[in-house]
Amino acid sequence: MALPHATSGQLIDIRPLGTRISSAVSNALFKTPQLELMRLVLPRGKGMPEHKVPGAVTIQCLEGSIELHAHQATQILRAGELVYLAGGEPHSLHALEDSSVLLTLLLQH
C-alpha cells in the first residue's frame, strides 16, 4: 500500500513533534515529478551515512540538533536553521539528540 501524499492546496503540519518524536517515523509529505518533501525523524545517535542525490536539496532542522558533514566540513544544524546543498554533493547526517528535519529535494529527470 502506498503512503498517502498531500494534494495541491492541502495544509501540511510541520510543527515540532515534541513528546511524540520518540514514536514518530519518517515520511514523504508530497512528491511531484520535480519536487519531493519529506520529514525525516532521527533518534539521538542515529543518522544517514554519506550519500548524494542528483538534484539540489535543502535540510531544515525543525527540532533537536543534527550534525551535517558536507563540503569537507562539519556543522551543527539546530531548530530553525536550514542549509542548501547543490546536486551531487556528498553529505551525511547524525542526530545529536532526537531530531526531525524537513528535506526538500529537487528531482532530476
Side-chain angles (χ1 to χ4, degrees):
M1 178 167 100
L3 293 174
H5 291 123
T7 57
S8 180
Q10 181 180 354
L11 289 177
I12 302 171
D13 185 356
I14 60 165
R15 287 176 286 193
L17 296 163
T19 58
R20 298 175 293 135
I21 198 167
S22 61
S23 62
V25 295
S26 300
N27 63 316
L29 302 172
F30 75 82
K31 185 175 183 178
T32 71
Q34 301 84 22
L35 186 67
E36 184 170 12
L37 188 70
M38 296 183 289
R39 175 181 233 152
L40 180 63
V41 177
L42 294 171
R44 179 185 188 148
K46 300 294 182 182
M48 293 181 69
E50 185 173 83
H51 64 285
K52 57 185 174 180
V53 294
V57 61
T58 64
I59 304 167
Q60 179 182 355
C61 186
L62 299 173
E63 63 191 310
S65 59
I66 60 167
E67 188 176 76
L68 168 69
H69 183 76
H71 293 282
Q72 296 80 44
T74 300
Q75 56 188 326
I76 297 175
L77 275 75
R78 293 177 177 83
E81 296 179 330
L82 176 139
V83 67
Y84 152 77
L85 297 174
E89 179 61 39
H91 60 282
S92 63
L93 302 173
H94 178 80
L96 300 174
E97 56 188 302
D98 290 346
S99 303
S100 69
V101 297
L102 186 66
L103 299 176
T104 305
L105 294 106
L106 182 61
L107 303 175
Q108 302 290 310
H109 297 290

